[in-house]
Amino acid sequence: MKKYAMLSLVAALALGACSDDDDSLGPTNSAEVRVVNASNGVSSVGLFRGSSQLVGGVVFQTATSCGNLKRVPSGQQTLEFRSTASATTTKTVSFNFVAGQRYTVVLYGPSNNLQAVVLQDQATVTAAGANANRLRFINATLLAGDIYATTATGAIAGNPTVGNIAAGNSTSGATMYQEIANTNVRFRLFNTGTTTGNPRGDYTINTSTSFPASRNSTIVFTDAAGASTVTGFQINACS
């Protein structure tokens, strides 16, 4: 009986140690990450650090919720995307995470050319002005492009709203989020320097879409999957 009691005590202590390790991650020694599945070749994906799954079941053209942000230790870390359907379909990304910061980790590209990138998120959320939305853009395709904002039926004219955004990149720095009149609800991604032919990405904000109180949101352009023609989706910013 003493032997089994001792084994039970050791197991309990081990579980307690694991719990303490998880609880030890906070703003001073870790960063928060949000996961985006923008890969038209992986219908559902999980994100791992080593053998530990941070989050699972992120389906194509969605992101984890603001209530499901995950912490990773600060410093150089390697994260791995694994397909829910087949663990052999994987993609790793290494990044030097800064404590107290928030990041978006994006998987994109077809199954035979998967790409992954870590993008810095805004440090503080600034509310949009009257009759406007504050929008960020992510080009989760394999080619650079220009983005144009118009009304729902407006023609493309003038300079792009965002010019020459590279593949796997986000608007960043002082223009990470751009204040755009809320009458401009359609966003199209063309090859850089041209507006001829069909856009590679085309997304229209649904007027019934719930924005956060700040009216900060991200539009992600992707390639279409299968017979679908949907080439974009929206992620509301976390406060």
Side-chain angles (χ1 to χ4, degrees):
M1 293 294 293
K2 289 182 179 179
K3 177 181 178 182
Y4 292 115
M6 181 61 71
L7 289 173
S8 297
L9 177 60
V10 171
L13 290 173
L15 288 173
C18 291
S19 176
D20 289 344
D21 288 343
D22 292 340
D23 292 343
S24 70
L25 294 180
T28 61
N29 64 357
S30 70
E32 287 185 318
V33 298
R34 189 178 195 182
V35 180
V36 173
N37 181 3
S39 169
N40 64 341
V42 183
S43 59
S44 177
V45 74
L47 184 69
F48 291 74
R49 186 174 73 87
S51 61
S52 299
Q53 180 173 278
L54 300 177
V55 66
V58 185
V59 300
F60 176 50
Q61 293 185 334
T62 69
T64 49
S65 68
C66 293
N68 198 26
L69 302 178
K70 299 300 179 181
R71 288 198 175 275
V72 297
S74 55
Q76 192 72 28
Q77 302 292 335
T78 297
L79 304 179
E80 182 179 28
F81 283 101
R82 298 181 191 171
S83 167
T84 303
S86 172
T88 61
T89 303
T90 66
K91 182 65 181 180
T92 60
V93 60
S94 295
F95 191 82
N96 187 17
F97 292 94
V98 176
Q101 299 298 307
R102 185 175 289 172
Y103 301 88
T104 296
V105 189
V106 184
L107 180 72
Y108 66 102
S111 58
N112 63 351
N113 190 15
L114 290 175
Q115 304 293 320
V117 64
V118 179
L119 301 171
Q120 176 80 51
D121 289 345
Q122 60 183 346
T124 58
V125 176
T126 301
N131 303 314
N133 299 313
R134 288 186 80 243
L135 299 174
R136 178 190 190 185
F137 300 91
I138 296 176
N139 176 12
T141 75
L142 297 178
L143 295 172
D146 294 334
I147 299 171
Y148 290 83
T150 68
T151 61
T153 58
I156 300 294
N159 295 323
T161 306
V162 177
N164 195 25
I165 182 170
N169 272 31
S170 163
T171 46
S172 60
T175 57
M176 179 184 294
Y177 281 79
Q178 299 189 23
E179 195 153 294
I180 296 174
N182 59 15
T183 53
N184 287 333
V185 294
R186 187 178 182 186
F187 302 89
R188 282 170 275 187
L189 173 71
F190 288 88
N191 289 336
T192 302
T194 181
T195 57
T196 57
N198 294 325
R200 292 206 334 264
D202 194 342
Y203 179 76
T204 300
I205 295 174
N206 190 323
T207 55
S208 64
T209 297
S210 296
F211 277 84
S214 65
R215 301 196 69 79
N216 283 225
S217 195
T218 296
I219 293 172
V220 185
F221 288 104
T222 73
D223 295 312
S228 172
T229 58
V230 179
T231 50
F233 64 105
Q234 183 178 342
I235 307 169
N236 286 338
C238 300
S239 60

